[in-house]
Amino acid sequence: MAELVGVFAASHGPVIVRDWDKLTPEIQASLNAAFEETGRRLSAVRADLVIVISPDHWVNFFMNNLPAICIGVGEEHAGPPEPFMKPYPYMDSMRGDPAFAAHVVETAMSRDFEPSISHHLVLDHGFCLPLWKMKLDRLPLILPIAINDLEPPMMSVRRCLQWGRLLREAIAGYPGDLRVAILATGGLSHSIGEHTMGQVDEAFDQRCIAALRAGDDATVIHQLEDGLASTGNGAQEARNWVIAHGAAASKGFDLIAYLPTPEVYVGCAFAEWKL
Amino acid sequence: MAELVGVFAASHGPVIVRDWDKLTPEIQASLNAAFEETGRRLSAVRADLVIVISPDHWVNFFMNNLPAICIGVGEEHAGPPEPFMKPYPYMDSMRGDPAFAAHVVETAMSRDFEPSISHHLVLDHGFCLPLWKMKLDRLPLILPIAINDLEPPMMSVRRCLQWGRLLREAIAGYPGDLRVAILATGGLSHSIGEHTMGQVDEAFDQRCIAALRAGDDATVIHQLEDGLASTGNGAQEARNWVIAHGAAASKGFDLIAYLPTPEVYVGCAFAEWKL
Amino acid sequence: MRDYWLSRFFFEMQQPAVRERYAADPQGVMDGYRIKPEVQTAIRANDVGALSALTNPYLLRFYFGYVGMPEAEFLSRIRATGPGKTAAEVVHG
Amino acid sequence: MRDYWLSRFFFEMQQPAVRERYAADPQGVMDGYRIKPEVQTAIRANDVGALSALTNPYLLRFYFGYVGMPEAEFLSRIRATGPGKTAAEVVHG
Ligand SMILES: [Fe+3]
Ligand SMILES: [Fe+3]
């Protein structure tokens, strides 16, 4: 039987790699420490496979077929195409587990969920930047799940919680012997290409963290549905955290770090859920 | 308020156009009569907009982003690219209703459905061949909904019924003044590119027709889940009929014609639901 | 079983430009996909049975239509993959 | 409001080959999309405000990065689209 061995979240942002040299040593040190502590914990749970939940930043999908959620079921996944991700160490070595992926998809379809499926997903910086910066012992197999956090309409926060529960159920129901971790990437507050670009909304971030920490589903739904409507567009990626939260049965989390960092445009946060 | 004014279904198949001249005059006459009677009834309900529910035959989607269901929300829809569809009379004149489409999508997302969205859907022969052969008075606006009937995994029959109910609810909840019809296309039994290619499974078709006619949801689900697993792959398109059935509140239908026609590879059927 | 790159090749053969290039230089076009050598052999041999085990039936039919296999021949070959054949027999033809 | 063809153009500008062609022949590349004349005018004028009302913010930012607008300039222009401006002011701004 498969086992859920860890649930984590980490922010991402192109600037963290692209303009790394322009960041102060203090910012560099605090970001490195947060990514690496998250990575240390992910390495420690010795996962065979990690479900990575990330937005797609207009790499796989366009408005002619924009899925609310797409599950990557292929034997392998393509590396990030962004020029600044060229040194990514796992460019040609991200492998999937088609049998487990098929099980997750079948479980979803049989429970009235309807993801799009990709046999050849390209994993952009959203997926890969945290995996890189975390300095893992070794890269587990990956089940990538791309969430539409960029272009309306998007899944409701309530539905994201349901997706988390569905993942939990699918893992528990898998007959194979597999240690599965979950890594949500993105958020918390940021704003890209909008008039608020560059602003980090610490008040939103703190409400979001408090709600996820407390664990109560109704509060999570209420705080996020409300908050997402009135803060920067990048905060929409917090719905990936909600999926992780649902998968962890809403038991609350341990905040590894919260680093509001306008220099990288992102309210960076890192967490590990209680199991 | 929008109003559901008619729910119809009609089969499709490339051979009906591509090899029309090779069909006997009897087959031509019976197919024409069935399409035109369905078209006469669709014209009679004076729809402003028709929701056309069809499979996509590998025109819009591939295995790198294969949606279970995709709603075409654009201002216009592209015409069929298949060479045999070149004389299609509405090639550049298929228009959508973005406001109604956005309402349907928002209703779906708020009710825990998660379609893919397309602002520029290409409508292949599945959508267009029936619209052409039906000889409508005039072409209504179109809300195209592409269902994955071709490549596993596909939505369950139960979920298709739920989608039908959702469409019914979305129509009833639209504040605009709009007469809406539904046209499901595809099915019933056929087999394409499989060892049973060319066989029409009349027993399956009759069970399917009887179940839809009787209207009982449990019977529809049972008969189709069972039957689809053991007949030709083309019959998977019958799930489009199930969506229409759900939209019509499962009140049973009037069979316009059933023409099992191995010469076009398809168990052709035509129906109008009771409202 | 679905062979992604074979399926992708069949899918893109729907484009007239790809078909033209394929007619002129089949190996060159196949090299643009990561198709396994044994699958390339099946393509070159027009091995309907072997390929049918690796892709979507509609894509299979499209491909053989595009390369000019008469419908009657495709029908007889695809029907030969029917019950009585195990998947392994189909693959190894 | 989403302008599909403008968005498609911005989306495809992510491809280096499209960017190269655009640098050499901007009108030729725009002609490959069904972009309305007034939107083409906004593109030619680097009118961040007008274009921001018509496409996804990420696509907007990608585009102006690719055509070499300095980040500081993009920031000041996009911030000028903020509250106080009506959509019409942004479009005609
Ligand atoms: Fe992001
Ligand atoms: Fe069909």
Side-chain angles (χ1 to χ4, degrees):
Chain A
M1 297 285 289
E3 189 186 354
L4 178 63
V5 296
V7 180
F8 305 89
S11 296
H12 63 244
V15 177
I16 296 171
V17 164
R18 202 187 59 204
D19 297 328
W20 181 254
D21 294 340
K22 297 181 195 159
L23 301 175
T24 66
E26 292 72 25
I27 292 175
Q28 290 180 345
S30 60
L31 285 172
N32 275 341
F35 276 115
E36 289 170 25
E37 172 59 16
T38 311
R40 198 194 57 72
R41 296 188 189 196
L42 177 49
S43 292
V45 301
R46 294 175 296 108
D48 302 306
L49 180 143
V50 57
I51 300 175
V52 186
I53 302 165
S54 172
D56 176 74
H57 299 85
W58 297 113
V59 163
N60 291 278
F61 312 130
F62 183 58
M63 289 160 59
N64 59 354
N65 181 16
L66 188 66
I69 173 167
C70 180
I71 302 182
V73 300
E75 286 175 33
E76 57 194 7
H77 317 297
E82 300 96 325
F84 60 88
M85 291 296 286
K86 212 167 174 189
Y88 179 62
Y90 311 121
M91 191 59 84
D92 297 310
S93 56
M94 294 190 290
R95 302 197 59 78
D97 180 336
F100 178 70
H103 167 79
V104 171
V105 170
E106 278 160 28
T107 305
M109 301 291 274
S110 72
R111 301 291 189 281
D112 299 332
F113 293 76
E114 51 235 333
S116 170
I117 304 305
S118 176
H119 290 257
H120 190 70
L121 207 59
V122 181
L123 307 192
D124 70 19
H125 74 275
F127 289 92
C128 297
L129 188 149
L131 292 172
W132 182 10
K133 295 287 294 177
M134 278 181 185
K135 299 196 174 154
L136 301 173
D137 283 357
R138 56 176 180 79
L139 187 71
L141 299 172
I142 296 173
L143 178 72
I145 302 186
I147 306 297
N148 174 22
D149 298 320
L150 260 68
E151 171 75 4
M154 304 174 201
M155 284 196 290
S156 69
V157 174
R158 181 186 67 243
R159 186 60 166 175
C160 291
L161 265 173
Q162 292 173 5
W163 264 103
R165 292 291 198 281
L166 186 274
L167 292 179
R168 184 179 182 84
E169 183 188 350
I171 294 163
Y174 186 61
D177 188 18
L178 199 72
R179 295 175 65 82
V180 179
I182 292 177
L183 172 66
T185 106
L188 297 175
S189 73
H190 52 299
S191 172
I192 302 296
E194 299 181 312
H195 75 270
T196 50
M197 184 161 172
Q199 292 178 17
V200 170
D201 183 348
E202 291 192 41
F204 168 85
D205 291 347
Q206 294 294 0
R207 284 199 306 276
C208 181
I209 288 167
L212 291 169
R213 205 176 227 162
D216 175 61
D217 285 350
T219 308
V220 168
I221 290 170
H222 173 73
Q223 285 288 0
L224 269 84
E225 288 290 7
D226 248 37
L228 291 177
S230 55
T231 189
N233 57 352
Q236 300 288 350
E237 296 176 348
R239 71 190 68 227
N240 305 351
W241 289 58
V242 175
I243 297 175
H245 187 75
S250 311
K251 290 183 190 159
F253 71 29
D254 178 24
L255 185 69
I256 296 172
Y258 173 57
L259 306 169
T261 313
E263 293 81 356
V264 303
Y265 294 127
V266 179
C268 295
F270 303 81
E272 176 179 9
W273 273 265
K274 294 175 189 157
L275 288 187
Chain B
M1 298 282 290
E3 187 186 356
L4 177 64
V5 296
V7 181
F8 305 88
S11 296
H12 63 244
V15 177
I16 294 171
V17 164
R18 201 186 61 203
D19 297 329
W20 181 254
D21 294 339
K22 296 182 193 158
L23 300 174
T24 65
E26 292 71 27
I27 292 174
Q28 290 181 345
S30 61
L31 284 172
N32 275 341
F35 275 114
E36 289 170 26
E37 172 59 17
T38 311
R40 196 193 59 71
R41 297 189 190 197
L42 177 49
S43 292
V45 299
R46 296 174 294 108
D48 301 306
L49 180 144
V50 57
I51 300 175
V52 186
I53 303 164
S54 171
D56 175 73
H57 299 84
W58 296 113
V59 163
N60 292 278
F61 311 129
F62 183 58
M63 289 159 60
N64 58 354
N65 181 15
L66 188 67
I69 173 166
C70 181
I71 301 183
V73 300
E75 286 175 33
E76 58 193 6
H77 317 298
E82 301 97 323
F84 59 88
M85 290 296 286
K86 212 167 175 186
Y88 179 61
Y90 311 120
M91 190 61 83
D92 297 310
S93 56
M94 293 190 290
R95 302 198 59 78
D97 180 335
F100 178 71
H103 167 80
V104 171
V105 169
E106 278 159 30
T107 305
M109 301 291 275
S110 73
R111 303 291 189 281
D112 300 331
F113 293 75
E114 50 234 336
S116 171
I117 303 306
S118 177
H119 290 256
H120 188 71
L121 207 60
V122 181
L123 307 192
D124 70 18
H125 75 274
F127 289 92
C128 298
L129 188 148
L131 292 173
W132 182 10
K133 294 288 293 179
M134 278 179 185
K135 300 194 174 157
L136 301 172
D137 283 357
R138 55 175 183 80
L139 187 71
L141 299 173
I142 296 174
L143 177 72
I145 302 185
I147 306 298
N148 174 22
D149 299 321
L150 260 68
E151 172 74 4
M154 303 173 200
M155 285 196 289
S156 69
V157 174
R158 181 187 65 245
R159 186 60 165 173
C160 290
L161 265 172
Q162 291 173 6
W163 264 103
R165 291 292 199 280
L166 186 275
L167 291 179
R168 183 180 182 83
E169 184 188 348
I171 294 164
Y174 186 63
D177 188 19
L178 200 71
R179 297 175 63 82
V180 179
I182 293 177
L183 172 66
T185 105
L188 299 176
S189 73
H190 53 299
S191 172
I192 303 296
E194 299 181 313
H195 76 271
T196 49
M197 184 161 172
Q199 292 178 21
V200 170
D201 183 348
E202 291 192 42
F204 168 85
D205 291 346
Q206 293 295 358
R207 283 198 306 275
C208 182
I209 289 167
L212 291 169
R213 204 175 229 163
D216 176 60
D217 285 350
T219 307
V220 168
I221 291 169
H222 172 75
Q223 285 289 1
L224 267 83
E225 289 289 8
D226 247 38
L228 291 177
S230 54
T231 189
N233 56 352
Q236 301 287 349
E237 296 176 348
R239 71 191 67 227
N240 305 352
W241 289 57
V242 174
I243 297 174
H245 187 74
S250 312
K251 291 184 190 160
F253 70 31
D254 177 25
L255 184 70
I256 295 173
Y258 174 57
L259 305 169
T261 312
E263 292 81 355
V264 302
Y265 294 129
V266 178
C268 295
F270 304 81
E272 177 179 10
W273 271 265
K274 295 174 189 157
L275 288 188
Chain C
M1 226 287 276
R2 290 294 186 252
D3 183 311
Y4 178 79
W5 291 106
L6 171 70
S7 302
R8 175 118 213 164
F9 165 54
F10 283 2
F11 174 71
E12 294 188 356
M13 277 287 283
Q14 293 184 93
Q15 300 171 30
V18 176
R19 292 205 293 276
E20 258 172 54
R21 284 197 291 117
Y22 186 59
D25 177 15
Q27 190 59 48
V29 170
M30 278 198 279
D31 287 347
Y33 304 85
R34 287 153 54 192
I35 304 175
K36 298 183 198 98
E38 64 270 27
V39 178
Q40 295 198 17
T41 303
I43 294 170
R44 278 190 294 267
N46 285 329
D47 190 341
V48 171
L51 297 170
S52 75
L54 301 175
T55 192
N56 177 275
Y58 286 81
L59 292 175
L60 182 79
R61 188 208 183 189
F62 292 170
Y63 172 78
F64 282 106
Y66 285 132
V67 298
M69 182 179 282
E71 185 94 328
E73 183 179 344
F74 178 75
L75 280 171
S76 98
R77 285 178 182 239
I78 194 66
R79 284 171 182 164
T81 65
K85 305 263 178 184
T86 65
E89 280 172 326
V90 171
V91 172
H92 301 298
Chain D
M1 224 287 277
R2 290 295 186 252
D3 183 311
Y4 178 79
W5 290 107
L6 170 70
S7 302
R8 175 118 214 165
F9 165 54
F10 283 1
F11 174 72
E12 294 188 356
M13 277 288 282
Q14 292 184 92
Q15 300 170 29
V18 175
R19 293 204 292 276
E20 260 172 54
R21 283 198 290 118
Y22 186 60
D25 178 16
Q27 190 60 49
V29 169
M30 278 198 279
D31 287 347
Y33 303 86
R34 286 153 52 192
I35 304 174
K36 297 181 198 99
E38 65 270 26
V39 178
Q40 294 197 18
T41 302
I43 294 171
R44 277 190 295 265
N46 286 328
D47 190 340
V48 172
L51 297 171
S52 75
L54 301 175
T55 192
N56 178 275
Y58 286 81
L59 291 175
L60 182 79
R61 188 208 182 191
F62 292 170
Y63 171 78
F64 282 106
Y66 286 133
V67 297
M69 181 177 284
E71 185 93 330
E73 182 179 345
F74 179 75
L75 279 170
S76 99
R77 287 178 181 237
I78 194 66
R79 284 171 182 163
T81 66
K85 304 264 179 186
T86 64
E89 280 172 326
V90 170
V91 170
H92 301 296

